[in-house]
Amino acid sequence: MAIIINVDVMLAKRKMRSNELAERIGITTANLSILKTGKAKAIRFSTLEMICEILECQPGDIMEYKKEL
């Protein structure tokens, strides 16, 4: 997939664990794991907004586009 999810990078920068982020967002750790591994087909803007609010970042810090070769 050409969209890369960098939630792990932001979690490390904020010294936060995945289960804490999932709990604060209100999603399961399994769903957060699906997002982190890039297996998610979509993300709700409300979920993206909560991630950005909690991790104090911008959507571009979490997602990036890399052209597939």
Side-chain angles (χ1 to χ4, degrees):
M1 180 180 273
I3 302 294
I4 309 298
I5 305 296
N6 294 316
V7 173
D8 282 339
V9 173
M10 293 309 299
L11 283 169
K13 287 182 178 180
R14 302 299 186 251
K15 297 181 175 138
M16 185 182 293
R17 299 184 70 144
S18 294
N19 57 348
E20 180 184 350
L21 178 62
E23 185 178 309
R24 290 179 64 183
I25 295 171
I27 64 173
T28 65
T29 53
N31 282 341
L32 182 59
S33 178
I34 289 168
L35 178 63
K36 287 181 2 181
T37 58
K39 294 180 181 177
K41 300 280 184 200
I43 182 171
R44 292 176 187 240
F45 281 123
S46 58
T47 302
L48 181 59
E49 182 179 2
M50 288 295 296
I51 292 171
C52 290
E53 183 178 325
I54 292 165
L55 295 178
E56 299 177 352
C57 64
Q58 296 294 313
D61 297 327
I62 296 170
M63 298 185 295
E64 67 178 286
Y65 171 77
K66 286 196 177 176
K67 190 173 185 176
E68 292 181 341
L69 302 175

